[in-house]
Amino acid sequence: MKGGPAVGGGHAVVRPRSAVAALVAAATLGLVTGRFVLPPPSGASAPATPDGSVPAPGTSASGSPTGATGATGATGATGPVTTANLLEPAAFGPDLDTGRIHVTDRFGDGAYANAACSGEKTLTQTLGGPGAHFRGLMTGPRTSPEDPTRSADHDGQVAREVAAAAQSPSLAQNFADRLLLEEVPCQEAAPGHWVYGRTTTVRLAPDVTASWMGSYQGSLNTTRTAPEGKEPCGGIAVLRSGNHYAVLEVDACLGTAAMDRVVRTALSQL
């Protein structure tokens, strides 16, 4: 995707029996050292914790996610993803003028987030799966000739979501974990470079969860990591509901409360 943040915002074959072990080892090592190793794509997954989930960055050894909330009675999605599962402009009110937000959709493959700090890839390159639904939310009708879900104007992108369905909830969890690990290297960067903040996890039900990181402009990065006590300016989220999974990149300069609200809305919609 884009080579850097907009106005200070963030913008970015393992054998079946060993795939999850590699993923868990990577996450566990990362919790100790602050560095994560992403396993190559796999087509299978298995429970790595008592509740069947693989701990994600920002998750304690006991499986309790940082900043997580309790279940609300929501149930995980089943079946294919449709455009009805994607985020709508209304989710950005009252922070933005939702009447000015244009929506474009496409189905296929492509870059799903700005992971330049870890190597930008397409969804198929990372997961080896079929195509996905791409949705762009922009403040103007002019789109990129290469991808209609991207704004032709750098500052015109509000958000971009990529969502797809896996063959099973466990495989969707595996995909979501790996997509999140793709973004983890962006939590550390040279001073002066934009950086993602710590991971916050939202849980609406055992199989309806999202993990998001706020984005911080380079002027706030003086220690190679995001500053404590400062508000982010947009960010990125990885979502999973049943057998659905998605990546949501928010280019609009939203703070913590607004990002949390948008992520929850996207998760409930997915």
mmCIF file of all heavy atoms in Angstrom, residues 80-131:
data_model
loop_
_atom_site.group_PDB
_atom_site.id
_atom_site.type_symbol
_atom_site.label_atom_id
_atom_site.label_comp_id
_atom_site.label_asym_id
_atom_site.label_seq_id
_atom_site.Cartn_x
_atom_site.Cartn_y
_atom_site.Cartn_z
ATOM 1 N N PRO A 80 -20.048 -17.669 3.404
ATOM 2 C CA PRO A 80 -19.145 -16.775 2.665
ATOM 3 C C PRO A 80 -19.245 -15.326 3.133
ATOM 4 O O PRO A 80 -20.237 -14.933 3.755
ATOM 5 C CB PRO A 80 -19.634 -16.908 1.219
ATOM 6 C CG PRO A 80 -21.099 -17.218 1.365
ATOM 7 C CD PRO A 80 -21.193 -18.105 2.572
ATOM 8 N N VAL A 81 -18.212 -14.545 2.838
ATOM 9 C CA VAL A 81 -18.228 -13.107 3.096
ATOM 10 C C VAL A 81 -18.926 -12.419 1.928
ATOM 11 O O VAL A 81 -18.723 -12.775 0.771
ATOM 12 C CB VAL A 81 -16.790 -12.559 3.237
ATOM 13 C CG1 VAL A 81 -16.779 -11.034 3.240
ATOM 14 C CG2 VAL A 81 -16.155 -13.086 4.518
ATOM 15 N N THR A 82 -19.767 -11.430 2.241
ATOM 16 C CA THR A 82 -20.399 -10.609 1.208
ATOM 17 C C THR A 82 -20.130 -9.147 1.545
ATOM 18 O O THR A 82 -19.580 -8.835 2.613
ATOM 19 C CB THR A 82 -21.921 -10.842 1.155
ATOM 20 O OG1 THR A 82 -22.534 -10.292 2.339
ATOM 21 C CG2 THR A 82 -22.241 -12.332 1.071
ATOM 22 N N THR A 83 -20.524 -8.246 0.670
ATOM 23 C CA THR A 83 -20.309 -6.824 0.934
ATOM 24 C C THR A 83 -21.074 -6.363 2.176
ATOM 25 O O THR A 83 -20.723 -5.348 2.774
ATOM 26 C CB THR A 83 -20.745 -5.979 -0.275
ATOM 27 O OG1 THR A 83 -22.096 -6.298 -0.622
ATOM 28 C CG2 THR A 83 -19.835 -6.240 -1.473
ATOM 29 N N ALA A 84 -22.099 -7.120 2.575
ATOM 30 C CA ALA A 84 -22.846 -6.776 3.791
ATOM 31 C C ALA A 84 -21.988 -6.937 5.039
ATOM 32 O O ALA A 84 -22.315 -6.390 6.094
ATOM 33 C CB ALA A 84 -24.103 -7.632 3.902
ATOM 34 N N ASN A 85 -20.885 -7.680 4.935
ATOM 35 C CA ASN A 85 -19.998 -7.889 6.079
ATOM 36 C C ASN A 85 -18.924 -6.813 6.207
ATOM 37 O O ASN A 85 -18.128 -6.845 7.146
ATOM 38 C CB ASN A 85 -19.305 -9.248 5.965
ATOM 39 C CG ASN A 85 -20.270 -10.405 5.993
ATOM 40 O OD1 ASN A 85 -20.377 -11.160 5.030
ATOM 41 N ND2 ASN A 85 -20.983 -10.573 7.090
ATOM 42 N N LEU A 86 -18.894 -5.879 5.267
ATOM 43 C CA LEU A 86 -17.840 -4.863 5.261
ATOM 44 C C LEU A 86 -18.290 -3.574 5.932
ATOM 45 O O LEU A 86 -19.483 -3.272 6.014
ATOM 46 C CB LEU A 86 -17.409 -4.585 3.825
ATOM 47 C CG LEU A 86 -16.926 -5.815 3.042
ATOM 48 C CD1 LEU A 86 -16.561 -5.432 1.618
ATOM 49 C CD2 LEU A 86 -15.755 -6.489 3.741
ATOM 50 N N LEU A 87 -17.311 -2.813 6.407
ATOM 51 C CA LEU A 87 -17.569 -1.582 7.156
ATOM 52 C C LEU A 87 -18.248 -0.528 6.294
ATOM 53 O O LEU A 87 -17.884 -0.331 5.135
ATOM 54 C CB LEU A 87 -16.243 -1.044 7.695
ATOM 55 C CG LEU A 87 -16.317 0.035 8.783
ATOM 56 C CD1 LEU A 87 -16.947 -0.517 10.054
ATOM 57 C CD2 LEU A 87 -14.913 0.558 9.080
ATOM 58 N N GLU A 88 -19.216 0.170 6.884
ATOM 59 C CA GLU A 88 -19.955 1.225 6.199
ATOM 60 C C GLU A 88 -19.468 2.605 6.662
ATOM 61 O O GLU A 88 -18.917 2.743 7.755
ATOM 62 C CB GLU A 88 -21.450 1.101 6.483
ATOM 63 C CG GLU A 88 -22.089 -0.185 5.970
ATOM 64 C CD GLU A 88 -22.288 -0.174 4.468
ATOM 65 O OE1 GLU A 88 -22.097 0.903 3.851
ATOM 66 O OE2 GLU A 88 -22.620 -1.231 3.902
ATOM 67 N N PRO A 89 -19.685 3.652 5.870
ATOM 68 C CA PRO A 89 -19.271 5.009 6.261
ATOM 69 C C PRO A 89 -19.838 5.461 7.600
ATOM 70 O O PRO A 89 -19.185 6.211 8.330
ATOM 71 C CB PRO A 89 -19.813 5.870 5.114
ATOM 72 C CG PRO A 89 -19.822 4.959 3.935
ATOM 73 C CD PRO A 89 -20.222 3.620 4.489
ATOM 74 N N ALA A 90 -21.033 4.996 7.943
ATOM 75 C CA ALA A 90 -21.663 5.427 9.196
ATOM 76 C C ALA A 90 -20.798 5.128 10.412
ATOM 77 O O ALA A 90 -20.926 5.784 11.452
ATOM 78 C CB ALA A 90 -23.030 4.761 9.346
ATOM 79 N N ALA A 91 -19.911 4.156 10.309
ATOM 80 C CA ALA A 91 -19.061 3.790 11.440
ATOM 81 C C ALA A 91 -18.125 4.923 11.851
ATOM 82 O O ALA A 91 -17.629 4.937 12.978
ATOM 83 C CB ALA A 91 -18.246 2.547 11.101
ATOM 84 N N PHE A 92 -17.890 5.874 10.949
ATOM 85 C CA PHE A 92 -16.941 6.950 11.238
ATOM 86 C C PHE A 92 -17.608 8.212 11.776
ATOM 87 O O PHE A 92 -16.944 9.215 12.007
ATOM 88 C CB PHE A 92 -16.123 7.266 9.988
ATOM 89 C CG PHE A 92 -15.221 6.144 9.589
ATOM 90 C CD1 PHE A 92 -15.648 5.154 8.709
ATOM 91 C CD2 PHE A 92 -13.940 6.048 10.118
ATOM 92 C CE1 PHE A 92 -14.823 4.106 8.353
ATOM 93 C CE2 PHE A 92 -13.106 5.004 9.768
ATOM 94 C CZ PHE A 92 -13.555 4.018 8.883
ATOM 95 N N GLY A 93 -18.906 8.187 11.952
ATOM 96 C CA GLY A 93 -19.570 9.313 12.585
ATOM 97 C C GLY A 93 -19.507 9.163 14.094
ATOM 98 O O GLY A 93 -19.511 8.038 14.604
ATOM 99 N N PRO A 94 -19.412 10.253 14.864
ATOM 100 C CA PRO A 94 -19.477 11.649 14.435
ATOM 101 C C PRO A 94 -18.107 12.281 14.142
ATOM 102 O O PRO A 94 -18.008 13.483 13.970
ATOM 103 C CB PRO A 94 -20.091 12.324 15.656
ATOM 104 C CG PRO A 94 -19.515 11.550 16.808
ATOM 105 C CD PRO A 94 -19.420 10.123 16.335
ATOM 106 N N ASP A 95 -17.052 11.464 14.100
ATOM 107 C CA ASP A 95 -15.705 12.022 13.916
ATOM 108 C C ASP A 95 -15.486 12.594 12.520
ATOM 109 O O ASP A 95 -14.717 13.532 12.357
ATOM 110 C CB ASP A 95 -14.662 10.933 14.198
ATOM 111 C CG ASP A 95 -14.785 10.384 15.606
ATOM 112 O OD1 ASP A 95 -14.290 11.031 16.543
ATOM 113 O OD2 ASP A 95 -15.412 9.314 15.766
ATOM 114 N N LEU A 96 -16.154 12.000 11.512
ATOM 115 C CA LEU A 96 -16.009 12.465 10.138
ATOM 116 C C LEU A 96 -17.373 12.759 9.545
ATOM 117 O O LEU A 96 -18.397 12.263 10.024
ATOM 118 C CB LEU A 96 -15.304 11.397 9.297
ATOM 119 C CG LEU A 96 -13.908 10.947 9.744
ATOM 120 C CD1 LEU A 96 -13.416 9.844 8.827
ATOM 121 C CD2 LEU A 96 -12.933 12.101 9.767
ATOM 122 N N ASP A 97 -17.370 13.552 8.486
ATOM 123 C CA ASP A 97 -18.602 13.821 7.754
ATOM 124 C C ASP A 97 -18.884 12.610 6.878
ATOM 125 O O ASP A 97 -18.328 12.465 5.785
ATOM 126 C CB ASP A 97 -18.433 15.083 6.901
ATOM 127 C CG ASP A 97 -19.692 15.423 6.109
ATOM 128 O OD1 ASP A 97 -20.689 14.684 6.204
ATOM 129 O OD2 ASP A 97 -19.658 16.434 5.374
ATOM 130 N N THR A 98 -19.740 11.715 7.354
ATOM 131 C CA THR A 98 -19.974 10.461 6.650
ATOM 132 C C THR A 98 -20.638 10.668 5.293
ATOM 133 O O THR A 98 -20.537 9.811 4.416
ATOM 134 C CB THR A 98 -20.837 9.514 7.498
ATOM 135 O OG1 THR A 98 -22.080 10.156 7.819
ATOM 136 C CG2 THR A 98 -20.124 9.167 8.800
ATOM 137 N N GLY A 99 -21.298 11.801 5.106
ATOM 138 C CA GLY A 99 -21.928 12.078 3.826
ATOM 139 C C GLY A 99 -20.924 12.295 2.715
ATOM 140 O O GLY A 99 -21.286 12.230 1.528
ATOM 141 N N ARG A 100 -19.657 12.560 3.072
ATOM 142 C CA ARG A 100 -18.606 12.795 2.071
ATOM 143 C C ARG A 100 -17.780 11.542 1.794
ATOM 144 O O ARG A 100 -16.845 11.581 0.993
ATOM 145 C CB ARG A 100 -17.673 13.915 2.548
ATOM 146 C CG ARG A 100 -18.336 15.268 2.687
ATOM 147 C CD ARG A 100 -17.304 16.320 3.085
ATOM 148 N NE ARG A 100 -16.222 16.419 2.104
ATOM 149 C CZ ARG A 100 -14.934 16.233 2.372
ATOM 150 N NH1 ARG A 100 -14.556 15.916 3.601
ATOM 151 N NH2 ARG A 100 -14.018 16.371 1.432
ATOM 152 N N ILE A 101 -18.110 10.440 2.452
ATOM 153 C CA ILE A 101 -17.324 9.227 2.271
ATOM 154 C C ILE A 101 -17.882 8.390 1.120
ATOM 155 O O ILE A 101 -19.049 8.002 1.133
ATOM 156 C CB ILE A 101 -17.290 8.385 3.564
ATOM 157 C CG1 ILE A 101 -16.636 9.187 4.699
ATOM 158 C CG2 ILE A 101 -16.525 7.086 3.332
ATOM 159 C CD1 ILE A 101 -16.605 8.458 6.029
ATOM 160 N N HIS A 102 -17.042 8.144 0.128
ATOM 161 C CA HIS A 102 -17.406 7.318 -1.017
ATOM 162 C C HIS A 102 -16.901 5.896 -0.789
ATOM 163 O O HIS A 102 -15.833 5.689 -0.210
ATOM 164 C CB HIS A 102 -16.789 7.879 -2.295
ATOM 165 C CG HIS A 102 -17.261 9.248 -2.649
ATOM 166 N ND1 HIS A 102 -18.200 9.484 -3.630
ATOM 167 C CD2 HIS A 102 -16.937 10.467 -2.137
ATOM 168 C CE1 HIS A 102 -18.434 10.777 -3.720
ATOM 169 N NE2 HIS A 102 -17.673 11.409 -2.821
ATOM 170 N N VAL A 103 -17.664 4.918 -1.269
ATOM 171 C CA VAL A 103 -17.311 3.506 -1.091
ATOM 172 C C VAL A 103 -17.111 2.848 -2.445
ATOM 173 O O VAL A 103 -17.922 3.023 -3.356
ATOM 174 C CB VAL A 103 -18.408 2.752 -0.315
ATOM 175 C CG1 VAL A 103 -18.090 1.264 -0.253
ATOM 176 C CG2 VAL A 103 -18.559 3.313 1.086
ATOM 177 N N THR A 104 -16.016 2.116 -2.586
ATOM 178 C CA THR A 104 -15.775 1.318 -3.786
ATOM 179 C C THR A 104 -15.413 -0.097 -3.361
ATOM 180 O O THR A 104 -14.739 -0.297 -2.342
ATOM 181 C CB THR A 104 -14.634 1.893 -4.645
ATOM 182 O OG1 THR A 104 -13.429 1.951 -3.866
ATOM 183 C CG2 THR A 104 -14.982 3.284 -5.154
ATOM 184 N N ASP A 105 -15.862 -1.066 -4.133
ATOM 185 C CA ASP A 105 -15.629 -2.476 -3.806
ATOM 186 C C ASP A 105 -15.020 -3.203 -4.999
ATOM 187 O O ASP A 105 -15.242 -2.823 -6.156
ATOM 188 C CB ASP A 105 -16.939 -3.172 -3.425
ATOM 189 C CG ASP A 105 -17.521 -2.673 -2.125
ATOM 190 O OD1 ASP A 105 -16.809 -2.698 -1.111
ATOM 191 O OD2 ASP A 105 -18.687 -2.242 -2.129
ATOM 192 N N ARG A 106 -14.279 -4.240 -4.707
ATOM 193 C CA ARG A 106 -13.806 -5.144 -5.742
ATOM 194 C C ARG A 106 -13.538 -6.499 -5.092
ATOM 195 O O ARG A 106 -13.432 -6.599 -3.862
ATOM 196 C CB ARG A 106 -12.543 -4.634 -6.420
ATOM 197 C CG ARG A 106 -11.272 -4.698 -5.571
ATOM 198 C CD ARG A 106 -10.049 -4.297 -6.380
ATOM 199 N NE ARG A 106 -8.814 -4.323 -5.618
ATOM 200 C CZ ARG A 106 -8.073 -5.407 -5.424
ATOM 201 N NH1 ARG A 106 -8.452 -6.575 -5.922
ATOM 202 N NH2 ARG A 106 -6.954 -5.346 -4.715
ATOM 203 N N PHE A 107 -13.436 -7.536 -5.904
ATOM 204 C CA PHE A 107 -13.107 -8.873 -5.408
ATOM 205 C C PHE A 107 -11.873 -9.365 -6.145
ATOM 206 O O PHE A 107 -11.745 -9.198 -7.360
ATOM 207 C CB PHE A 107 -14.264 -9.846 -5.645
ATOM 208 C CG PHE A 107 -13.998 -11.224 -5.092
ATOM 209 C CD1 PHE A 107 -14.274 -11.518 -3.764
ATOM 210 C CD2 PHE A 107 -13.448 -12.205 -5.898
ATOM 211 C CE1 PHE A 107 -14.012 -12.788 -3.249
ATOM 212 C CE2 PHE A 107 -13.182 -13.480 -5.389
ATOM 213 C CZ PHE A 107 -13.469 -13.764 -4.057
ATOM 214 N N GLY A 108 -10.936 -9.959 -5.415
ATOM 215 C CA GLY A 108 -9.724 -10.459 -6.034
ATOM 216 C C GLY A 108 -8.591 -10.533 -5.036
ATOM 217 O O GLY A 108 -8.794 -10.822 -3.859
ATOM 218 N N ASP A 109 -7.387 -10.222 -5.494
ATOM 219 C CA ASP A 109 -6.206 -10.267 -4.643
ATOM 220 C C ASP A 109 -5.540 -8.897 -4.675
ATOM 221 O O ASP A 109 -5.899 -8.033 -5.475
ATOM 222 C CB ASP A 109 -5.238 -11.343 -5.140
ATOM 223 C CG ASP A 109 -4.090 -11.596 -4.170
ATOM 224 O OD1 ASP A 109 -4.278 -11.349 -2.961
ATOM 225 O OD2 ASP A 109 -3.011 -12.029 -4.616
ATOM 226 N N GLY A 110 -4.569 -8.697 -3.807
ATOM 227 C CA GLY A 110 -3.845 -7.436 -3.779
ATOM 228 C C GLY A 110 -3.210 -7.207 -2.427
ATOM 229 O O GLY A 110 -3.385 -7.991 -1.494
ATOM 230 N N ALA A 111 -2.440 -6.110 -2.314
ATOM 231 C CA ALA A 111 -1.830 -5.742 -1.039
ATOM 232 C C ALA A 111 -2.937 -5.403 -0.055
ATOM 233 O O ALA A 111 -3.885 -4.705 -0.395
ATOM 234 C CB ALA A 111 -0.893 -4.559 -1.230
ATOM 235 N N TYR A 112 -2.838 -5.919 1.160
ATOM 236 C CA TYR A 112 -3.908 -5.761 2.136
ATOM 237 C C TYR A 112 -3.606 -4.751 3.219
ATOM 238 O O TYR A 112 -4.478 -4.380 3.988
ATOM 239 C CB TYR A 112 -4.225 -7.114 2.781
ATOM 240 C CG TYR A 112 -3.025 -7.795 3.395
ATOM 241 C CD1 TYR A 112 -2.646 -7.543 4.706
ATOM 242 C CD2 TYR A 112 -2.261 -8.679 2.655
ATOM 243 C CE1 TYR A 112 -1.543 -8.153 5.259
ATOM 244 C CE2 TYR A 112 -1.153 -9.301 3.201
ATOM 245 C CZ TYR A 112 -0.799 -9.035 4.510
ATOM 246 O OH TYR A 112 0.306 -9.631 5.057
ATOM 247 N N ALA A 113 -2.397 -4.308 3.349
ATOM 248 C CA ALA A 113 -2.044 -3.318 4.371
ATOM 249 C C ALA A 113 -0.635 -2.827 4.089
ATOM 250 O O ALA A 113 0.115 -3.458 3.351
ATOM 251 C CB ALA A 113 -2.118 -3.913 5.780
ATOM 252 N N ASN A 114 -0.281 -1.714 4.692
ATOM 253 C CA ASN A 114 1.068 -1.189 4.527
ATOM 254 C C ASN A 114 1.997 -1.908 5.492
ATOM 255 O O ASN A 114 2.118 -1.533 6.645
ATOM 256 C CB ASN A 114 1.085 0.316 4.793
ATOM 257 C CG ASN A 114 2.481 0.878 4.600
ATOM 258 O OD1 ASN A 114 3.378 0.193 4.162
ATOM 259 N ND2 ASN A 114 2.653 2.133 4.924
ATOM 260 N N ALA A 115 2.610 -2.966 5.012
ATOM 261 C CA ALA A 115 3.559 -3.705 5.839
ATOM 262 C C ALA A 115 4.970 -3.520 5.295
ATOM 263 O O ALA A 115 5.754 -4.449 5.239
ATOM 264 C CB ALA A 115 3.191 -5.184 5.865
ATOM 265 N N ALA A 116 5.253 -2.299 4.857
ATOM 266 C CA ALA A 116 6.555 -2.026 4.247
ATOM 267 C C ALA A 116 7.694 -2.357 5.199
ATOM 268 O O ALA A 116 8.782 -2.748 4.773
ATOM 269 C CB ALA A 116 6.629 -0.559 3.821
ATOM 270 N N CYS A 117 7.450 -2.214 6.507
ATOM 271 C CA CYS A 117 8.509 -2.489 7.475
ATOM 272 C C CYS A 117 8.793 -3.983 7.599
ATOM 273 O O CYS A 117 9.821 -4.370 8.160
ATOM 274 C CB CYS A 117 8.135 -1.908 8.840
ATOM 275 S SG CYS A 117 6.433 -2.212 9.319
ATOM 276 N N SER A 118 7.899 -4.833 7.091
ATOM 277 C CA SER A 118 8.147 -6.262 7.146
ATOM 278 C C SER A 118 8.090 -6.896 5.758
ATOM 279 O O SER A 118 8.239 -8.105 5.616
ATOM 280 C CB SER A 118 7.119 -6.949 8.053
ATOM 281 O OG SER A 118 5.809 -6.750 7.578
ATOM 282 N N GLY A 119 7.871 -6.078 4.733
ATOM 283 C CA GLY A 119 7.810 -6.587 3.369
ATOM 284 C C GLY A 119 6.378 -6.653 2.890
ATOM 285 O O GLY A 119 5.613 -7.518 3.308
ATOM 286 N N GLU A 120 5.980 -5.714 2.018
ATOM 287 C CA GLU A 120 4.600 -5.673 1.553
ATOM 288 C C GLU A 120 4.285 -6.895 0.707
ATOM 289 O O GLU A 120 5.038 -7.281 -0.175
ATOM 290 C CB GLU A 120 4.358 -4.395 0.739
ATOM 291 C CG GLU A 120 2.900 -4.176 0.394
ATOM 292 C CD GLU A 120 2.683 -2.847 -0.331
ATOM 293 O OE1 GLU A 120 3.528 -2.510 -1.173
ATOM 294 O OE2 GLU A 120 1.690 -2.176 -0.062
ATOM 295 N N LYS A 121 3.143 -7.512 0.987
ATOM 296 C CA LYS A 121 2.736 -8.721 0.279
ATOM 297 C C LYS A 121 1.261 -8.623 -0.085
ATOM 298 O O LYS A 121 0.524 -7.800 0.441
ATOM 299 C CB LYS A 121 2.947 -9.954 1.157
ATOM 300 C CG LYS A 121 4.367 -10.189 1.612
ATOM 301 C CD LYS A 121 4.427 -11.366 2.575
ATOM 302 C CE LYS A 121 5.834 -11.576 3.108
ATOM 303 N NZ LYS A 121 5.883 -12.681 4.095
ATOM 304 N N THR A 122 0.851 -9.500 -0.983
ATOM 305 C CA THR A 122 -0.572 -9.621 -1.269
ATOM 306 C C THR A 122 -1.152 -10.658 -0.316
ATOM 307 O O THR A 122 -0.419 -11.445 0.319
ATOM 308 C CB THR A 122 -0.817 -10.079 -2.715
ATOM 309 O OG1 THR A 122 -0.352 -11.429 -2.868
ATOM 310 C CG2 THR A 122 -0.110 -9.165 -3.706
ATOM 311 N N LEU A 123 -2.466 -10.688 -0.232
ATOM 312 C CA LEU A 123 -3.123 -11.636 0.658
ATOM 313 C C LEU A 123 -2.783 -13.070 0.255
ATOM 314 O O LEU A 123 -2.512 -13.916 1.108
ATOM 315 C CB LEU A 123 -4.634 -11.413 0.620
ATOM 316 C CG LEU A 123 -5.439 -11.993 1.789
ATOM 317 C CD1 LEU A 123 -5.045 -11.315 3.091
ATOM 318 C CD2 LEU A 123 -6.938 -11.825 1.535
ATOM 319 N N THR A 124 -2.769 -13.350 -1.032
ATOM 320 C CA THR A 124 -2.454 -14.700 -1.494
ATOM 321 C C THR A 124 -1.012 -15.078 -1.178
ATOM 322 O O THR A 124 -0.732 -16.218 -0.799
ATOM 323 C CB THR A 124 -2.690 -14.818 -3.010
ATOM 324 O OG1 THR A 124 -4.085 -14.614 -3.279
ATOM 325 C CG2 THR A 124 -2.293 -16.196 -3.521
ATOM 326 N N GLN A 125 -0.093 -14.130 -1.282
ATOM 327 C CA GLN A 125 1.300 -14.421 -0.958
ATOM 328 C C GLN A 125 1.470 -14.790 0.505
ATOM 329 O O GLN A 125 2.293 -15.635 0.855
ATOM 330 C CB GLN A 125 2.175 -13.212 -1.292
ATOM 331 C CG GLN A 125 2.409 -13.006 -2.774
ATOM 332 C CD GLN A 125 3.140 -11.708 -3.065
ATOM 333 O OE1 GLN A 125 3.013 -10.730 -2.343
ATOM 334 N NE2 GLN A 125 3.921 -11.702 -4.147
ATOM 335 N N THR A 126 0.690 -14.162 1.371
ATOM 336 C CA THR A 126 0.807 -14.435 2.803
ATOM 337 C C THR A 126 0.091 -15.711 3.205
ATOM 338 O O THR A 126 0.611 -16.520 3.971
ATOM 339 C CB THR A 126 0.249 -13.260 3.616
ATOM 340 O OG1 THR A 126 1.026 -12.099 3.359
ATOM 341 C CG2 THR A 126 0.299 -13.554 5.112
ATOM 342 N N LEU A 127 -1.135 -15.899 2.687
ATOM 343 C CA LEU A 127 -1.965 -17.006 3.147
ATOM 344 C C LEU A 127 -2.114 -18.138 2.144
ATOM 345 O O LEU A 127 -2.524 -19.238 2.506
ATOM 346 C CB LEU A 127 -3.365 -16.483 3.510
ATOM 347 C CG LEU A 127 -3.409 -15.390 4.588
ATOM 348 C CD1 LEU A 127 -4.852 -14.953 4.811
ATOM 349 C CD2 LEU A 127 -2.775 -15.870 5.884
ATOM 350 N N GLY A 128 -1.829 -17.861 0.879
ATOM 351 C CA GLY A 128 -1.978 -18.891 -0.125
ATOM 352 C C GLY A 128 -3.423 -19.234 -0.437
ATOM 353 O O GLY A 128 -3.720 -20.276 -1.017
ATOM 354 N N GLY A 129 -4.355 -18.351 -0.036
ATOM 355 C CA GLY A 129 -5.775 -18.628 -0.215
ATOM 356 C C GLY A 129 -6.352 -17.973 -1.451
ATOM 357 O O GLY A 129 -5.642 -17.332 -2.228
ATOM 358 N N PRO A 130 -7.666 -18.120 -1.644
ATOM 359 C CA PRO A 130 -8.336 -17.517 -2.805
ATOM 360 C C PRO A 130 -8.528 -16.015 -2.618
ATOM 361 O O PRO A 130 -8.032 -15.425 -1.650
ATOM 362 C CB PRO A 130 -9.688 -18.244 -2.822
ATOM 363 C CG PRO A 130 -9.933 -18.581 -1.379
ATOM 364 C CD PRO A 130 -8.580 -18.896 -0.807
ATOM 365 N N GLY A 131 -9.286 -15.402 -3.532
ATOM 366 C CA GLY A 131 -9.495 -13.965 -3.481
ATOM 367 C C GLY A 131 -10.322 -13.520 -2.291
ATOM 368 O O GLY A 131 -10.911 -14.323 -1.566
#
